[in-house]
Amino acid sequence: MSRLREHGDVVRLKLGPKTVYAVTAPALTGALALSNDFIIAGPLWESLEGLLGKEGVATANGPRHRRQRRTIQPAFRLDAIPGYGPIMEEEAHALAERWKSGETIDCTSESFRVAVRIAARCLLRGEYMDERAERLCVALATVFRGMYRRMVVPLGPLYNLPLPANREFNRALADLHLLVDEIVAERRASGQKPDDLLTALLEAKDENGDPIGEQEIHDQVVAILTPGSETIASTIMWLLHMLAEHPEHADRVHDEVQAVTGGRPVVFADVRGLRHTNNVVVESMRLSPAVWILTRRAVRDTELGGYSIPSGADIIYSPYAIQRDPKSYERHLEFDPDRWLPDRVKDIPKHAMSPFSVGNRKCPSDHFSMAQLTLVTAALATRYRFEQVAGSKDATRVGITLRPHDLRVRPVAR
Ligand code: HEM
């Protein structure tokens, strides 16, 4: 994907019998995401729907999608985020507390764990969520592993064979759906209606003003938990990798947090003042974006940057390639958080850094995500220095998201 830009702003690719259009110029990825001529569809989405459900916001289009976005949006609005502050703080500090100086940390499971706990506890609330969050972690981690294989290697019936890997995948997928049913049933039985996303989903009405169906409620919870966990988990893994590989920036994060907090534990309200920490998170997301590929399908004959795109064509673009493009970034492969300082950021072309995308499919969780990532980074870097240990595999693993293969680090108390 990174090399395609040399061939043009839109590149026609033959993938077996299929023609796919790859968009390589930042401005055109923005135009694609903002145009009504393209929808979410294509083979990758279809296989996703088969596993996770057809009625959730991430795969819906048209009026249903607009209605679903209206239902979930209030839970992610900028003014709703401080309400999640205490849970984010608690989870960030509990993570730092769980780790002991000198021991080896399995970053994959630890990052997944904190990501799922924050999403589940903030958005679905409830005390029971602690134990459920643990089960959700196990189910989601296994499902994500198997799902990518099923999306890109369509072996169809072979995935039904009673092999250990298939059985483990099926068990985890069944448990994920069961967990979601349990969460919904328990909330209903409790008779409580806290002001949260789950209440919004349970009270949602369809286009005719009738309550939405059980399947849609279920698929909506799945559609929020699944993108909410793997993306954050992968980003936290890359942040830990960055803290280990760039101790000078880890030290700057530590110093900034100390200056802002005066030595007390960092809290949610500090996040706005943690400019450098925020820039470190953004720069880490630039070089190692969790979401590395996005797809659309043309719904009519149209054009993009002067190139004709026929109706039904599948389009792909890669935030990874866009965010590492030497045409957009000076010293494009260098980890340089200061490129996000106000006087330098203006040199970066529009849409060259849109890790949450733009337009009607933009991630609803941009503020929610940035707040928790900044807080977790601040809490960890104030307490520890990190180093990779022997046997850690930090090469990039390509899956539904990009993450290190098997990152292992040792925290050393400051
Ligand atoms: C959609 C990125 C975290 C929920 C998206 C999209 C991107 C994205 C790029 C747009 C997909 C497209 O255009 O096809 C990220 C990144 C995250 C993150 C980089 C963290 C580092 C989260 C979290 C949640 C979430 C924490 C929920 C708790 C969603 C949902 C959609 C979405 C529901 C579908 C929106 C729609 O289709 O209308 N995300 N996301 N994301 N994200 Fe996120």
Side-chain angles (χ1 to χ4, degrees):
M1 292 298 293
S2 291
R3 265 181 255 127
L4 287 179
R5 190 150 192 205
E6 292 158 20
H7 298 274
D9 290 351
V10 178
V11 181
R12 200 166 47 204
L13 300 172
K14 280 297 232 184
L15 298 182
K18 260 194 104 48
T19 302
V20 172
Y21 294 77
V23 178
T24 66
L28 294 188
T29 63
L32 173 71
L34 291 165
S35 163
N36 292 330
D37 292 346
F38 304 94
I39 59 165
I40 288 268
L44 294 184
W45 290 106
E46 281 147 24
S47 46
L48 204 64
E49 278 182 352
L51 298 170
L52 297 181
K54 292 188 194 334
E55 299 189 24
V57 64
T59 46
N61 279 298
R64 180 200 284 260
H65 175 253
R66 277 195 293 281
R67 164 172 67 72
Q68 292 183 329
R69 281 295 292 232
R70 274 199 299 276
T71 303
I72 66 167
Q73 208 66 42
F76 292 103
R77 273 208 328 249
L78 191 53
D79 57 4
I81 309 302
Y84 306 128
I87 294 175
M88 290 184 184
E89 284 162 20
E90 201 181 300
E91 289 294 336
H93 291 300
L95 185 67
E97 195 80 24
R98 240 170 100 79
W99 297 353
K100 301 284 167 282
S101 184
E103 74 177 13
T104 295
I105 301 299
D106 172 351
C107 298
T108 313
S109 59
E110 287 296 294
S111 303
F112 234 100
R113 186 174 174 280
V114 71
V116 172
R117 287 181 63 88
I118 292 180
R121 290 190 62 205
C122 289
L123 302 170
L124 309 175
R125 301 263 174 181
E127 289 310 311
Y128 60 88
M129 204 37 84
D130 288 3
E131 175 261 329
R132 289 276 154 71
E134 298 294 328
R135 270 174 70 200
L136 272 173
C137 287
V138 176
L140 279 169
T142 312
V143 165
F144 271 111
R145 259 202 317 275
M147 207 156 65
Y148 182 68
R149 182 158 312 142
R150 283 160 176 75
M151 285 166 79
V152 293
V153 192
L155 295 179
L158 288 187
Y159 290 120
N160 297 332
L161 292 177
L163 302 171
N166 290 344
R167 276 213 291 262
E168 191 193 21
F169 176 82
N170 290 335
R171 242 194 328 266
L173 189 61
D175 200 35
L176 173 65
H177 288 298
L178 178 70
L179 271 160
V180 169
D181 285 339
E182 285 175 15
I183 290 168
V184 170
E186 249 170 64
R187 172 62 68 82
R188 282 224 172 90
S190 77
Q192 288 173 357
K193 295 183 179 177
D195 182 16
D196 71 355
L197 184 62
L198 189 51
T199 301
L201 292 175
L202 291 173
E203 309 244 294
K205 302 273 190 296
D206 68 12
E207 292 79 355
N208 305 319
D210 297 323
I212 62 171
E214 286 305 304
Q215 190 63 48
E216 184 174 334
I217 293 173
H218 176 100
D219 290 359
Q220 278 282 67
V221 176
V222 175
I224 286 152
L225 279 177
T226 43
S229 49
E230 167 105 356
T231 48
I232 294 282
S234 303
T235 309
I236 293 176
M237 288 175 226
W238 287 121
L239 282 163
L240 285 166
H241 183 252
M242 178 279 303
L243 291 173
E245 294 307 298
H246 297 280
E248 69 287 7
H249 287 294
D251 288 348
R252 274 181 71 187
V253 169
H254 165 268
D255 295 348
E256 179 180 68
V257 178
Q258 291 298 104
V260 168
T261 63
R264 61 157 168 73
V266 60
V267 293
F268 177 84
D270 297 324
V271 165
R272 284 181 62 188
L274 298 174
R275 294 283 164 75
H276 182 67
T277 310
N278 179 73
N279 290 350
V280 159
V281 174
V282 174
E283 182 67 349
S284 182
M285 288 170 71
R286 177 182 78 84
L287 284 170
S288 307
V291 178
W292 65 279
I293 190 148
L294 291 168
T295 71
R296 291 289 186 272
R297 181 170 284 168
V299 286
R300 55 188 72 90
D301 288 342
T302 181
E303 64 89 35
L304 202 56
Y307 296 85
S308 302
I309 310 278
S311 179
D314 285 324
I315 331 284
I316 54 174
Y317 73 96
S318 166
Y320 178 91
I322 299 277
Q323 291 165 199
R324 286 173 164 242
D325 186 347
K327 287 191 179 161
S328 301
Y329 293 96
E330 247 177 57
R331 301 187 316 280
H332 59 293
L333 300 182
E334 197 175 296
F335 183 83
D336 176 11
D338 291 335
R339 68 172 86 242
W340 302 105
L341 288 172
D343 61 327
R344 288 180 61 197
V345 73
K346 55 185 186 315
D347 300 333
I348 296 172
K350 200 166 176 194
H351 302 301
M353 180 66 192
S354 295
F356 297 103
S357 189
V358 291
N360 65 342
R361 312 305 302 220
K362 175 176 180 284
C363 182
S365 168
D366 48 352
H367 301 303
F368 180 76
S369 301
M370 287 309 294
Q372 60 176 299
L373 291 167
T374 308
L375 199 57
V376 167
T377 307
L380 294 178
T382 356
R383 191 137 171 175
Y384 301 110
R385 290 194 171 84
F386 291 93
E387 52 197 38
Q388 271 198 78
V389 298
S392 169
K393 297 194 192 86
D394 66 352
T396 304
R397 171 187 172 281
V398 181
I400 291 177
T401 59
L402 285 189
R403 61 175 170 84
H405 261 280
D406 181 11
L407 182 69
R408 309 254 162 175
V409 297
R410 180 180 301 123
V412 179
R414 282 184 183 272

